[in-house]
Amino acid sequence: MKSFKKECVVMLLAGGQGSRLGTLTQKIAKPSVPFGGKYRIIDFPLSNCVNSGLDTIGVLTQYQPLKLNSYIGDGKSWDLDRMNGGIQILPPYQRVGDSEWYSGTANAIYQNMNFIDQYDPDFVLVLSGDHIYKMDYSLMIKYHKEKNADCTISVIDVPLNEASRFGILSSDDDGRITNFEEKPKKPKSTKASMGIYVFTWNKLKQYLESDDKNPDSSKDFGKDVMPLMLKSGEKMYSYEFKGYWKDVGTIDSLWQANMDLLGNDGFNLSGDGVIYSRHAERPPQYISGNSSVKNSIVSEGAVIFGSVENSVIFSGVRIGEGAKIKDSVIMADVEIKDNSIINNSIIDEEVIIGPNIKIGYPRGESLEITVIPRESIINNMQEV
Amino acid sequence: MNTLGIIFSDMQDWNMTELASHRSVAAIPFGGRYRLIDFPLSNMVNSGMNKICIITKSNYRSLMEHVGSGKDWDLSRKKGGILIFPPYAVGENHGLFQGRLDALKRVLDYISSSKEKYVVMSDCDMIYNINYKDVIRYHEEKNSDITAIYTTTQIEKNSSVHKIIYEFDKDGRADDILVYPVTSGTHNVGLSTWVMNKDFLESIIYDAIARNYKDFSYDVLAKKVHSLRIYGYKYNGYFAHIDSLQSYYDHSLGLLKKENLQSLFYSKTGPIYTKTKDSAPTKYMQGANVKNSLIASGCVIEGTVENSIIFRGVKIGKNASVKNSIIMQHGVIGENASLDSIITDTYAQVTNNRVLLGYANCPFFIKKFSVV
């Protein structure tokens, strides 16, 4: 079947292991980690694409793809089941003569050049599947066209003490990038790359091909391709993004990003830019006569008899009488039985706790987040 | 499953003027996130049926919008799927149909060309959770012409009820059928659902054409109770009959009883499906104080909610108090407003500091889009 031209094809990097998320990513890839009551992390870049009018997306998977593949399905939850374009999962595959895993972010795109070429695009948007934010990519593509750039990198201001965790850019008054360093020890600016790139496809193709021939390259965008493009004098621009953006690569940042959904000042899930997701059909949530729910978000199908404060409660969670949940993230279909107390924790999906179990320490006593792995059954204090 | 589904979207609209003034009975919102049609539709889908048509009469825009392509019920299919019949004129039949048989006459072509062996025919005024497979098995066993699903229940006071009442002999065969009688006491009440062989349904329609019959209940059920083999299949679980604003109110708040919630939404038959809206989880602010209520997603709650049903996307302001009430989707209750025994239709707004009071046996209704 012949495909028709698309101005821009999106390549979403979703193969990372996310090892800093510990047991949360033991059985699933980082982009499929649950977030915000009813979503998975990948819903954010996917919904941003749809809300930006981009409908042709390749999802590059590698690590533990089962959950992710079945979650995405044919893409209809994001309105991405399309006649021309739509969403396609791109795992590593065997070719005549050689086959290899995706050895780096650039290599993953290199191995799927045929997928991109089908649509004869002018631009390729590269995204990663581990950030929580709402962004209109069409504005960034417009900026890329206005600057007649070869590559545009989206940047956000980060605190100086955190800058060494990111790729850090310096640019001139026009936005043209003058310097790029991946995770520098002594950062020269506070403009961090968000891992969102727009490339002019012809240009990127050349660099992917030459990078593939370089045996010393680690085949990574930040470490290899960007510095080489910059050194060769290509037109690279930074695009400043102002708004909420959170890398949820660690337990602490994942917990914090969930907490940012509470109250009025953090990240607003409703409002402009609907975040679409795939979820099971559930009845409304039931809050009983003796329960109390404060400063929290609660999803469909939850049944609450206990008390909930400063917490994120996913779909289908059951909280028994006398149970107390505070400063915690309780993922889908967890059952917390009567009189159990949960503080400062992330409880992964389908865990059963209690009755009369205490998990985690109050925020005042310890800042450490307790994580309970998926499908655990905890009914006796020794196990905690 | 080898069964065609026929759903009538508004057989009872004359009786629910407030809720059905601008929509079909089928599209009346219920239970926080559903519309009445979701219940028969989900029953059919959960029973393995995948060819379903909906016969509508008037005001069907919100129904069509809700059902769409049918994909939320897994009914967007190459084979079968869902089909909505707006009013349809055949030959001399112009204008709206007069009764169920008249409606069926106009879709005879569709019924004749269907390959299914059985038909399940259902209205939207009865809410319950059943697997039709069991009913069809019973229908076969009894070799009946029509199998009516019923339940045994108490009718209070001597009042005119919008129910069909059956009396059965020892074998379960109907020997008397009363349509909308004035009565009280314990009765076998029909759940507005019938199972037939498709060929038999066609023969009834031919007969209706020849004799100018229009009404299924009077002209077939009541009149032919002795000549046809009409059997009853008894259903024992939760059911709600929505036939007035009062019964709508009572049954809505009835969902707050644990056993009702359990048997309607967590039955083994399967979940109740509805249109997906992708609303965010509901946000409870610091001042939220929610007791014994059903809350759908996409709401922001800053005040008190007690014994109430809150639909998707409702906002309840600071220090507002909502008790014994039903707030349909996108309702906005302003700061310090106080509501007791109120039903607000969709997109209604109650501005700051308003006090609205109904009574348990006389709930006060606020129209769609109105601002109080």
Side-chain angles (χ1 to χ4, degrees):
Chain A
M1 196 174 71
K2 192 173 165 6
S3 303
F4 296 95
K5 181 178 169 69
K6 293 278 176 184
E7 187 190 31
C8 182
V9 168
V10 182
M11 298 298 271
L12 176 58
L13 299 161
Q17 184 178 350
S19 50
R20 286 174 302 156
L21 285 174
T23 64
L24 293 175
T25 51
Q26 199 167 5
K27 288 182 181 156
I28 58 175
K30 183 152 76 168
S32 40
V33 168
F35 179 81
K38 66 186 287 196
Y39 308 96
R40 295 183 186 268
I41 296 170
I42 196 169
D43 289 329
F44 292 83
L46 284 183
S47 303
N48 286 341
C49 284
V50 175
N51 293 334
S52 310
L54 298 167
D55 62 6
T56 307
I57 303 171
V59 181
L60 299 139
T61 61
Q62 178 154 292
Y63 173 79
Q64 290 282 19
L66 178 66
K67 258 256 150 59
L68 190 58
N69 291 351
S70 63
Y71 184 68
I72 291 172
D74 65 353
K76 75 172 174 184
S77 305
W78 303 267
D79 216 4
L80 285 169
D81 50 337
R82 300 292 177 99
M83 300 258 273
N84 185 40
I87 194 164
Q88 186 162 349
I89 303 225
L90 302 168
Y93 58 97
Q94 193 179 14
R95 283 157 295 169
V96 178
D98 84 285
S99 54
E100 54 177 333
W101 294 101
Y102 295 150
S103 52
T105 50
N107 176 257
I109 309 286
Y110 172 79
Q111 290 200 41
N112 288 290
M113 292 203 308
N114 288 343
F115 168 78
I116 300 171
D117 275 333
Q118 294 180 90
Y119 298 102
D120 184 27
D122 301 325
F123 311 110
V124 169
L125 171 66
V126 177
L127 302 174
S128 50
D130 42 12
H131 300 133
I132 301 298
Y133 63 115
K134 284 183 181 180
M135 180 171 174
D136 185 346
Y137 303 131
S138 71
L139 299 176
M140 182 178 173
I141 295 167
K142 190 169 158 238
Y143 175 88
H144 179 87
K145 285 195 273 192
E146 276 166 9
K147 296 289 179 190
N148 197 19
D150 298 309
C151 170
T152 300
I153 302 175
S154 175
V155 297
I156 191 161
D157 247 332
V158 293
L160 189 62
N161 59 350
E162 282 182 35
S164 53
R165 284 174 47 213
F166 298 96
I168 295 296
L169 304 172
S170 309
S171 44
D172 66 17
D173 292 345
D174 188 38
R176 187 156 175 173
I177 298 169
T178 53
N179 188 43
F180 180 90
E181 282 180 290
E182 186 68 14
K183 296 180 182 151
K185 291 216 176 70
K186 285 185 181 163
K188 292 195 180 90
S189 87
T190 53
K191 280 187 182 149
S193 161
M194 297 160 66
I196 300 167
Y197 317 120
V198 177
F199 291 101
T200 298
W201 175 229
N202 283 333
K203 212 41 137 196
L204 176 62
K205 219 167 143 177
Q206 289 167 27
Y207 278 91
L208 289 178
E209 277 163 356
S210 65
D211 179 62
D212 188 62
K213 293 191 188 95
N214 176 5
D216 300 328
S217 166
S218 57
K219 302 187 164 62
D220 186 88
F221 276 113
K223 290 195 195 103
D224 309 291
V225 177
M226 302 299 187
L228 184 64
M229 283 181 85
L230 195 63
K231 219 170 79 186
S232 313
E234 303 296 353
K235 280 180 280 180
M236 300 178 77
Y237 282 83
S238 64
Y239 172 79
E240 286 197 42
F241 174 76
K242 290 197 171 58
Y244 183 91
W245 178 82
K246 190 104 186 167
D247 180 337
V248 286
T250 62
I251 297 285
D252 282 346
S253 63
L254 181 69
W255 180 88
Q256 187 57 51
N258 274 288
M259 294 301 134
D260 289 345
L261 302 172
L262 311 179
N264 276 328
D265 311 324
F267 181 52
N268 189 3
L269 284 169
S270 46
D272 286 346
V274 175
I275 304 300
Y276 300 95
S277 71
R278 178 171 179 168
H279 43 88
E281 189 55 62
R282 314 258 194 188
Q285 51 201 269
Y286 175 72
I287 315 289
S288 90
N290 299 323
S291 59
S292 144
V293 183
K294 307 259 182 225
N295 195 38
S296 295
I297 62 171
V298 182
S299 200
E300 284 126 347
V303 179
I304 299 178
F305 288 92
S307 83
V308 175
E309 202 181 337
N310 303 335
S311 294
V312 173
I313 310 294
F314 280 65
S315 316
V317 167
R318 300 181 84 88
I319 296 173
E321 294 202 16
K324 289 193 170 71
I325 317 293
K326 204 176 173 197
D327 303 315
S328 293
V329 177
I330 314 291
M331 293 187 183
D333 297 307
V334 167
E335 185 173 359
I336 293 166
K337 296 192 178 165
D338 296 357
N339 304 314
S340 288
I341 295 174
I342 316 277
N343 271 303
N344 218 10
S345 298
I346 297 178
I347 314 291
D348 205 345
E349 297 176 316
E350 293 176 52
V351 168
I352 300 174
I353 293 172
N356 308 312
I357 299 286
K358 253 188 176 161
I359 288 179
Y361 300 96
R363 199 80 190 141
E365 293 170 28
S366 161
L367 289 181
E368 196 176 324
I369 312 288
T370 305
V371 179
I372 306 295
R374 60 188 301 122
E375 292 170 44
S376 318
I377 297 175
I378 296 170
N379 46 23
N380 146 355
M381 284 308 271
Q382 269 76 48
E383 292 174 45
V384 185
Chain B
M1 203 167 77
N2 198 7
T3 308
L4 172 70
I6 301 177
I7 297 177
F8 291 89
S9 74
D10 36 13
M11 271 297 146
Q12 292 84 7
D13 54 346
W14 40 269
N15 210 24
M16 284 183 275
T17 45
E18 300 94 339
L19 292 163
S21 68
H22 56 274
R23 56 166 83 89
S24 321
V25 172
I28 294 175
F30 186 78
R33 62 195 299 265
Y34 304 95
R35 292 184 185 254
L36 293 184
I37 195 167
D38 292 336
F39 298 92
L41 210 47
S42 300
N43 280 339
M44 288 182 180
V45 170
N46 287 331
S47 308
M49 294 163 61
N50 59 18
K51 184 173 177 181
I52 296 166
C53 73
I54 301 170
I55 297 180
T56 66
K57 192 158 66 183
S58 52
N59 298 334
Y60 44 79
R61 185 194 56 82
S62 58
L63 176 66
M64 292 185 83
E65 203 176 298
H66 180 70
V67 172
S69 68
K71 74 173 175 180
D72 289 317
W73 296 265
D74 212 7
L75 285 171
S76 171
R77 300 294 187 95
K78 292 202 171 178
K79 227 178 136 181
I82 204 158
L83 187 61
I84 298 183
F85 286 114
Y88 195 65
V90 181
E92 292 159 22
N93 291 318
H94 290 292
L96 295 180
F97 57 77
Q98 317 278 319
R100 197 184 302 272
L101 282 176
D102 193 22
L104 288 167
K105 282 179 204 171
R106 301 175 189 215
V107 296
L108 181 60
D109 286 354
Y110 173 80
I111 295 171
S112 303
S113 62
S114 294
K115 303 274 187 294
E116 281 71 16
K117 184 171 179 196
Y118 306 103
V119 176
V120 172
M121 203 162 84
S122 175
D123 291 350
C124 292
D125 60 327
M126 293 280 184
I127 299 167
Y128 63 110
N129 201 325
I130 198 171
N131 191 331
Y132 294 122
K133 275 183 193 165
D134 302 333
V135 187
I136 287 170
R137 205 172 301 127
Y138 181 82
H139 174 80
E140 274 289 281
E141 233 171 71
K142 293 292 181 188
N143 190 25
S144 55
D145 293 320
I146 300 173
T147 302
I149 302 174
Y150 75 95
T151 191
T152 306
T153 185
Q154 186 76 25
I155 294 172
E156 283 169 30
K157 282 186 240 159
N158 226 357
S159 57
S160 170
V161 291
H162 309 109
K163 295 176 166 77
I164 297 178
I165 286 172
Y166 295 83
E167 278 172 38
F168 300 106
D169 67 13
K170 271 180 277 171
D171 185 41
R173 182 171 168 180
D175 55 14
D176 200 10
I177 297 177
L178 301 168
V179 181
Y180 299 172
V182 178
T183 185
S184 62
T186 305
H187 287 286
N188 298 320
V189 169
L191 294 178
S192 312
T193 315
W194 301 272
V195 172
M196 282 168 272
N197 281 43
K198 198 207 76 173
D199 294 346
F200 179 77
L201 176 62
E202 275 178 80
S203 74
I204 294 181
I205 300 171
Y206 293 140
D207 192 51
I209 292 171
R211 296 172 200 274
N212 197 23
Y213 287 166
K214 299 211 158 114
D215 194 285
F216 180 74
S217 315
Y218 289 110
D219 295 331
V220 178
L221 295 177
K223 224 175 254 177
K224 301 192 173 177
V225 61
H226 296 294
S227 59
L228 295 176
R229 294 175 62 82
I230 301 176
Y231 278 81
Y233 177 90
K234 188 166 182 177
Y235 166 82
N236 288 317
Y238 165 87
F239 89 102
H241 181 199
I242 309 292
D243 67 340
S244 63
L245 190 66
Q246 183 68 45
S247 65
Y248 175 81
Y249 177 77
D250 294 342
H251 286 303
S252 292
L253 296 191
L255 290 175
L256 297 173
K257 284 195 189 116
K258 204 177 165 190
E259 62 274 17
N260 291 347
L261 202 62
Q262 192 70 26
S263 96
L264 187 58
F265 294 124
Y266 296 94
S267 104
K268 278 180 206 143
T269 317
I272 306 299
Y273 301 97
T274 190
K275 183 176 176 175
T276 309
K277 294 243 172 105
D278 289 283
S279 22
T282 283
K283 217 167 188 175
Y284 295 80
M285 308 304 273
Q286 203 57 48
N289 176 19
V290 178
K291 307 276 182 217
N292 190 39
S293 295
L294 269 185
I295 317 273
S297 56
C299 301
V300 179
I301 298 177
E302 302 193 58
T304 297
V305 177
E306 243 178 87
N307 304 325
S308 295
I309 311 282
I310 310 294
F311 280 69
R312 291 189 274 202
V314 167
K315 295 199 165 36
I316 295 184
K318 276 185 199 146
N319 296 319
S321 158
V322 175
K323 291 182 179 167
N324 311 309
S325 294
I326 298 159
I327 311 295
M328 291 190 200
Q329 54 268 41
H330 305 295
V332 178
I333 309 299
E335 291 177 16
N336 302 309
S338 170
L339 281 69
D340 195 338
S341 308
I342 303 293
I343 302 172
T344 65
D345 205 328
T346 57
Y347 295 95
Q349 276 185 48
V350 177
T351 49
N352 296 354
N353 308 315
R354 296 285 163 269
V355 178
L356 302 177
L357 264 177
Y359 194 71
N361 64 9
C362 186
F364 187 65
F365 180 79
I366 293 173
K367 277 199 251 173
K368 187 174 180 176
F369 292 123
S370 48
V371 178
V372 179

